[in-house]
Amino acid sequence: MSGLYGRLSIAGKQAVWAWAFLALPVLFYVVIRFWPTADSFLISFYSWNLLGTPRFVGLDNYVRMWSDPTFWLVFRNTFEYLIIGTPVSIVVAFVIAYYLDQVRFAHGLIRALYFIPFMTTAVAMAWVWRWFYQPVPIGVFNNLLSELDLPTQPFLRSTEQALPSVLAPAIWAGLGFQVVIFLAGLRAIPESYYEAARIDGAGKWMILRRITIPLLRPTVVFLVVISSIGFLRIFDQVFNMTDGSGGPLNSTKPLVLYIYETAFQSYQMGYAAAQTVVLFTILLLITLLQLWLLRSK
Amino acid sequence: MLRRFGRAMAAAAVGIAVAWGGSASAQQKVTIEYWQYFFQQRVTAVDKLIAEFKKQNPDIEVVHNHFPYADYRTKVAAAIPAGQGPDVVQLFYGWLDDYIREKLIQPLPAAQFPIAEMEQRYFPIVQAMKRDGQYYAVPTAVRSLALFWNKRLYREAGLDPEKPPQTLDEMVEHAKKIVKRDRNGNVTTAGMTIDMTAQDHHWIREVLIRQFGGAPYSADSRKVTYDSDAGRKALQFYVDLQRVHQVGTNGFMDESQAAFRAGRAGIHLDGSFRLGALQNQRGLEWGVTELPAQDGKRSNFASYWVNAVTSKATGPKAEAAAKFLQFMVSDAAMQLWLAETGELPAAKAAALSPANLAHPLYGPFIRGLDYAAATEFVNETAQRQILIDAVDRVLLKNQSVADSVKEAAAAEQKLLDDHHRK
Amino acid sequence: MTAGALPSTAARGAVRFKDVRPGRIVAWTLLAMGGIAMVMPLVVMISTSLKYPHEVYDLNLIPVEPTLENYLHIFQNTKFLRWFVNSLIISILTTASVVFFDGLVGYVLCKFSFRGRQVVFVAILSTLMIPTEMLVIPWYLMARDFGWLNSVWGIMFPGIMTGFGTFLMRQFFEGVPDDYIHAARIDGLNEFQIWWRIAMPLVTPALSALAIFTFLGNWTAFLWPLIATSNRDLYTLPVGLASFSGEFATEWEMVMAGASLATLPTLVFFLIFQRYIIRGVMLTGVKG
């Protein structure tokens, strides 16, 4: 064996080493990533409750999805999380990072304060916020409002307010991450650009609009994609703040919770798999969009 | 096929056990697993029962596992087909159909549970556990609903603390006197609890609808019949508690039982299983009475938790499981269960003792059994959600009561149809 | 090269903002207040966890009668300690595996030339686009068929290697000069030794960033552990916490104590390794 190896060219030896190193990982990616992906597509064409034999039903699951009002509501909710969550978190994070970048006094401490929520567990925080949202006499927010003689709010007990209420802790927890990424982006802008602009007599606002924001484009694209994917996959907060129901009246139920319910509570594996295919398609489009945006730079 | 095999195995196991008799203790220790959902008093009760059982059967080890109510059913249904999980399992009676169909449980061994004795010993509800002449499960305890009231709040509201409401009108009247608000109009003490996620959906379904002159389902439980005058009146009455009479709000203190336990609610409808928790609540002065009548008509909702041997238990495990199950429904176990959890014995003689009927706490529940109905759920979680949504649509979306009832009935009918078509 | 080495704009702009203007004081004050608001939920959580039930709904932040009774109750009556250890074991094992394999694969894909390299790289990169949710059902079936449910391996097997880590490490190995590797080869080290002793130590910052993210991700993971475990003894901390909170809901001081127990370790971790963690985040922002 070693004789055989000894006779190989340098390139040959490299290849042997490479494949020896890659053997286990390649097996892993095939068995734990690619095969399940294909399996999901396959299951989506079957009707199966986990117990009996899967029955091939063609496109039935997709047809059913098309005419399932709950699916469309859930679809809408999922995008609502995205459409509110992404811009709000990015704008707020940018404003904080922009000013924090200019601050020297206690810079590290303030940055740490913003970052700390990122280190928490979503499940734990969901329960903390869930308590905050309770009506008088136990909820912290409503007790505060009542103390100030302001009208109390239903929060999780309202079909309009529940979704933003569930979203808030998700934005809160991710904000520090985005601030730090923006700080890194701001620092990467060469000082010479600013000096040139100042020599040209540009004001602060002009510098922000003409230099800072355009040069932060890659950072913004990165954050938009990361947070979009995060909001599209929201689950932990909803599950723990609504007793796993996505209520009231399904007004907070995101796609992932619907998938979980369909698969692991109703045992309709085929229908659930069809929903995951839709989620996959959406995430794929977003990732491709990111690649395209970064390339057109 | 599999079921027959399991049955044969169980029979063989029993045979072997009989043949070997007392030498079993010399054999290797058998470990079986018992599952139930989490409810503090039941967990304590089962722990005590297991300790006692182990004393009598040192050769059997019983592992006790419990899960939150919300996940429980999922966990059982996922574990058993995978050859994991419980050998003896506690189930809500409404789930039985699914479990039998999905072959998650096996028939009770006739040796320990002779069919003739079953009908003699238990309330007629055991009939619901019989399929093709065989029993699949046996109940330990029965529960029904009753009205709890807070005597201190009654006194504060100028009401007689020893005279709880006997009719729906009286109940509303009392609740209106008890409710307290802060200066901004927020409820700080509820006149009565409104909480669809607890027992109220049972109350609407089996009590209010019947009291308003209707029935929730057809006699064979195949048709939803509450899209009717009675159904509309029942829902109207329920939502009016919050909207018109303003005696409380849905979701007050997150859970109705918490509000009552904290002394923040005057009237609370709940099951007999709440007795245990309330008895441990220091400083709370409370009483319990039968559910209020309407036009002289009373109704109640009864439900049962049953124990069954799963299809996972085979061979010596099946034998041990049967032994444990038999122990779990012995008179002594039922007595302990009543003392620990406040749930009523499922054996007739034990429940209907004069002492129990006259008991200030158990009495109202046991009397309630007389006129109680049990819903034949096909999917309790989904059917519960349908009524929760029906109330939410009116309270949160201002849908008309008639439309909401109609929508709920249609959704539930579809659920029943889908189930029976399978 | 690394973002951590860049001076902040504030430092660079010291000349620009040498005069302290009122606008800057206002900005600083607002930022500081915002920062305090950010940690308020955690402060309230910890403060409530130290209160007796009768004090829970008062709005005071400092408990009148602080008590550790809630924590004691949790340790005595639940399996919190066990869940904690489970999470720790799973997070550590997974992190070790990810650092090892992602480092190895990233290195091979960067420094070795062989047929099929590009195919493997693109294939691994493409797994980044597959959402976990899509794999959960097949994983569940796989775990069920292989008897992996309710085991540590069953919880961790989907995460022992990551496409993201591989990609990140490959980027960082680009910065390792080929000369070092050639020199090591001449010194008679075999390829594994070259990777492990020479190349890996040169990318420690990236490795620590990868380790931190992997650890955090596994520590807080919820969906898969929720599906993969039914045995209470094998719950991870988030799954245990969810079930515990469901059982104790309305006893908010208990829920807050449980939430604090799940949160405090990562907070302490952050306070100790703050610099590395922040630098790690910045690295991913720049390289990812």
Side-chain angles (χ1 to χ4, degrees), chain A residues 51 130 134-138 146-147 149 152 157-160 239 245 248-249 264-265 267, chain B residues 74 77-78 81 102 182-184 186-188 250-254 264 389 392-393 396-397:
Chain A
L51 297 171
R130 177 181 168 146
Q134 293 298 319
V136 170
I138 60 172
S146 185
E147 203 78 355
D149 285 331
T152 54
R157 284 291 314 153
S158 141
T159 47
E160 287 85 32
F239 186 88
S245 74
L249 295 173
F264 299 102
Q265 282 170 1
Y267 296 104
Chain B
T74 319
E102 292 167 10
D182 66 11
R183 61 178 188 276
N184 296 310
N186 302 302
V187 172
T188 54
N250 196 358
F252 176 69
M253 292 195 69
D254 209 28
R264 297 262 198 177
D389 288 352
D392 277 348
R393 277 195 300 269
L396 304 177
K397 290 267 191 192

Side-chain angles (χ1 to χ4, degrees), chain B residues 85-368:
Chain B
D87 300 284
V88 179
V89 67
Q90 196 183 72
L91 308 167
F92 186 63
Y93 78 102
W95 302 344
L96 205 67
D97 226 29
D98 275 357
Y99 277 75
I100 294 172
R101 194 168 59 189
E102 292 167 10
K103 300 190 176 62
L104 296 176
I105 55 177
Q106 47 180 312
L108 298 176
Q112 280 93 343
F113 300 94
I115 290 172
E117 197 201 287
M118 294 287 288
E119 271 138 52
Q120 212 180 3
R121 182 170 153 77
Y122 298 98
F123 281 106
I125 50 137
V126 284
Q127 288 291 347
M129 281 136 236
K130 198 173 177 184
R131 297 287 186 289
D132 307 325
Q134 279 182 308
Y135 281 99
Y136 277 81
V138 57
T140 311
V142 187
R143 333 153 116 184
S144 57
L145 301 179
L147 181 148
F148 295 82
W149 83 98
N150 182 319
K151 295 185 179 174
R152 186 178 58 78
L153 292 178
Y154 259 68
R155 219 174 284 126
E156 283 176 16
L159 293 160
D160 183 348
E162 297 309 325
K163 279 204 178 132
Q166 291 306 310
T167 65
L168 290 180
D169 291 341
E170 266 177 45
M171 181 182 76
V172 172
E173 189 191 313
H174 290 186
K176 277 161 103 173
K177 286 188 180 147
I178 294 166
V179 68
K180 281 183 210 154
R181 294 161 188 286
D182 66 11
R183 61 178 188 276
N184 296 310
N186 302 302
V187 172
T188 54
T189 298
M192 103 170 252
T193 56
I194 298 172
D195 182 0
M196 281 300 285
T197 60
Q199 302 298 312
D200 287 5
H201 70 102
H202 294 307
W203 186 49
I204 293 181
R205 189 185 284 111
E206 293 293 355
V207 182
L208 289 181
I209 290 175
R210 291 180 193 279
Q211 287 182 323
F212 284 106
Y217 306 98
S218 61
D220 64 357
S221 292
R222 293 287 179 102
K223 286 267 168 284
V224 176
T225 54
Y226 60 69
D227 184 15
S228 64
D229 206 34
R232 286 184 286 273
K233 273 187 191 160
L235 186 62
Q236 187 74 55
F237 175 82
Y238 190 78
V239 296
D240 280 354
L241 289 173
Q242 174 171 331
R243 289 214 305 195
V244 177
H245 307 302
Q246 304 185 355
V247 296
T249 45
N250 196 358
F252 176 69
M253 292 195 69
D254 209 28
E255 271 185 29
S256 54
Q257 57 94 5
F260 188 77
R261 276 171 69 175
R264 297 262 198 177
I267 297 170
H268 172 56
L269 307 183
D270 214 330
S272 34
F273 45 86
R274 194 67 62 202
L275 289 171
L278 288 174
Q279 276 166 311
N280 293 330
Q281 193 73 24
R282 267 178 296 161
L284 189 69
E285 237 191 300
W286 54 282
V288 58
T289 186
E290 285 172 75
L291 289 182
Q294 164 73 5
D295 299 335
K297 187 170 166 53
R298 285 188 189 272
S299 185
N300 206 318
F301 166 75
S303 64
Y304 321 95
W305 282 82
V306 298
N307 288 298
V309 179
T310 70
S311 47
K312 177 205 160 202
T314 52
K317 279 188 191 252
E319 178 212 343
K323 247 189 194 171
F324 181 62
L325 188 55
Q326 198 177 18
F327 175 80
M328 287 289 285
V329 296
S330 62
D331 283 353
M334 284 188 186
Q335 204 53 48
L336 188 142
W337 199 263
L338 177 68
E340 287 292 330
T341 67
E343 294 184 41
L344 319 166
K348 269 187 271 188
L352 296 176
S353 69
N356 278 344
L357 277 171
H359 194 282
L361 300 181
Y362 306 142
F365 291 101
I366 291 174
R367 291 197 295 277

Side-chain angles (χ1 to χ4, degrees), chain A:
Chain A
M1 194 63 202
S2 71
L4 200 63
Y5 174 79
R7 262 179 280 144
L8 285 171
S9 64
I10 292 185
K13 281 177 185 166
Q14 284 240 322
V16 170
W17 275 105
W19 286 109
F21 287 155
L22 289 180
L24 216 52
V26 166
L27 185 74
F28 172 85
Y29 284 102
V30 170
V31 177
I32 311 291
R33 291 284 187 276
F34 291 112
W35 183 77
T37 309
D39 203 26
S40 260
F41 276 103
L42 214 63
I43 294 173
S44 75
F45 298 113
Y46 284 84
S47 165
W48 189 29
N49 68 354
L50 266 188
L51 297 171
T53 333
R55 187 165 50 85
F56 184 77
V57 293
L59 288 172
D60 273 14
N61 288 320
Y62 293 92
V63 173
R64 178 177 161 197
M65 201 188 312
W66 185 260
S67 55
D68 176 359
T70 312
F71 174 77
W72 288 110
L73 177 62
V74 160
F75 196 78
R76 224 193 75 159
N77 290 342
T78 308
F79 273 90
E80 214 166 301
Y81 283 114
L82 167 76
I83 285 164
I84 303 173
T86 303
V88 167
S89 63
I90 287 189
V91 169
V92 173
F94 175 73
V95 171
I96 292 167
Y98 180 72
Y99 285 104
L100 187 55
D101 188 48
Q102 300 168 11
V103 156
R104 284 174 70 190
F105 181 66
H107 175 89
L109 178 69
I110 295 177
R111 186 181 62 186
L113 289 179
Y114 282 98
F115 192 77
I116 277 176
F118 183 68
M119 300 297 292
T120 59
T121 307
V123 175
M125 291 309 117
W127 281 90
V128 172
W129 283 72
R130 177 181 168 146
W131 174 46
F132 290 175
Y133 284 135
Q134 293 298 319
V136 170
I138 60 172
V140 173
F141 291 152
N142 275 324
N143 278 348
L144 269 175
L145 289 173
S146 185
E147 203 78 355
L148 300 169
D149 285 331
L150 294 168
T152 54
Q153 299 299 320
F155 296 119
L156 296 171
R157 284 291 314 153
S158 141
T159 47
E160 287 85 32
Q161 292 182 6
L163 191 142
S165 300
V166 169
L167 184 58
I171 296 178
W172 169 76
L175 201 63
F177 176 82
Q178 300 186 329
V179 168
V180 171
I181 299 275
F182 267 127
L183 284 175
L186 286 169
R187 288 179 191 191
I189 299 172
E191 178 63 10
S192 54
Y193 285 37
Y194 289 116
E195 271 160 19
R198 271 195 298 277
I199 288 165
D200 290 349
K204 253 176 128 181
W205 180 240
M206 187 70 100
I207 293 175
L208 177 67
R209 264 186 44 208
R210 292 289 164 83
I211 297 177
T212 312
I213 292 179
L215 286 174
L216 277 179
R217 213 174 95 113
T219 309
V220 173
V221 172
F222 171 76
L223 285 179
V224 166
V225 169
I226 291 273
S227 67
S228 300
I229 292 175
F231 288 123
L232 285 175
R233 296 171 57 184
I234 192 165
F235 175 79
D236 300 6
Q237 287 86 357
V238 195
F239 186 88
N240 284 288
M241 292 174 79
T242 66
D243 282 326
S245 74
L249 295 173
N250 290 328
S251 61
T252 59
K253 191 180 281 173
L255 194 48
V256 179
L257 181 54
Y258 196 46
I259 292 171
Y260 175 82
E261 261 180 24
T262 313
F264 299 102
Q265 282 170 1
S266 313
Y267 296 104
Q268 301 172 340
M269 299 322 244
Y271 191 36
Q275 291 166 24
T276 67
V277 169
V278 171
L279 180 68
F280 170 69
T281 314
I282 297 168
L283 294 179
L284 189 69
L285 289 178
I286 289 184
T287 317
L288 292 177
L289 190 72
Q290 172 199 24
L291 291 176
W292 179 76
L293 278 175
L294 285 180
R295 187 164 299 171
S296 72
K297 182 178 68 173

